[in-house]
Amino acid sequence: MPQIRLGHDGSWLELVQTDEDSWRVAADWCSALSADFTAYLTGEEVAEFAARMLSHLRAPSGSRFSAAVTPGRNNPLRLRAEPVEDRFAFFVYLTPNGDDEVCHLQMEIDPIDATELRDMFEALLESLAP
């Protein structure tokens, strides 16, 4: 099944396809904040998200950027990346009910090597190819 996990033991975010149009979004920050919910996303939406992330990660500028998994509606997942030397720290914004005003979780993931990130998003994109 297509999936990606950002982060390490202390703080992490995971997106895993569980069915054709269902994805599990799980996150944990130092065992103090956590989320685990189902998001109804198409493979195409996730592939477009991965492609947007890759376009930013491949850019030589190393500047901050953000991407949401579904640009046309309220999103279950949004990432904001901040450059830290040759790495990126992520600020994660989760909205389990798809409504930014009702229920959300914000957390930070420590910097991850840019090459490692590119490899992870490329693997996710390849796993979604028909």
Side-chain angles (χ1 to χ4, degrees):
M1 290 299 226
Q3 63 183 332
I4 189 166
R5 182 181 174 119
L6 301 176
H8 302 289
D9 295 335
S11 59
W12 54 267
L13 165 71
E14 188 172 62
L15 183 63
V16 179
Q17 187 175 27
T18 57
D19 202 356
E20 186 174 332
D21 288 338
S22 295
W23 290 74
R24 178 176 167 261
V25 180
D28 188 82
W29 184 77
C30 302
S31 299
L33 297 172
S34 64
D36 191 345
F37 61 94
T38 299
Y40 299 99
L41 304 166
T42 66
E44 183 178 291
E45 287 174 312
V46 176
E48 289 173 1
F49 168 68
R52 283 192 306 276
M53 291 295 294
L54 280 169
S55 72
H56 291 292
L57 291 167
R58 289 178 179 145
S61 67
S63 59
R64 75 176 63 169
F65 65 90
S66 67
V69 74
T70 55
R73 64 175 196 241
N74 287 338
N75 295 289
L77 166 63
R78 187 174 353 146
L79 297 176
R80 189 178 82 218
E82 295 284 336
V84 180
E85 297 173 5
D86 60 345
R87 309 171 129 224
F88 283 94
F90 284 99
F91 297 91
V92 179
Y93 193 82
L94 301 175
T95 52
N97 295 329
D99 187 337
D100 293 346
E101 301 302 318
V102 176
C103 183
H104 70 272
L105 167 71
Q106 296 181 83
M107 59 181 263
E108 180 179 348
I109 296 176
D110 290 337
I112 303 170
D113 181 75
T115 302
E116 182 182 347
L117 285 167
R118 282 191 302 270
D119 291 346
M120 287 189 284
F121 279 100
E122 284 172 355
L124 175 61
L125 193 56
E126 287 174 12
S127 71
L128 291 163

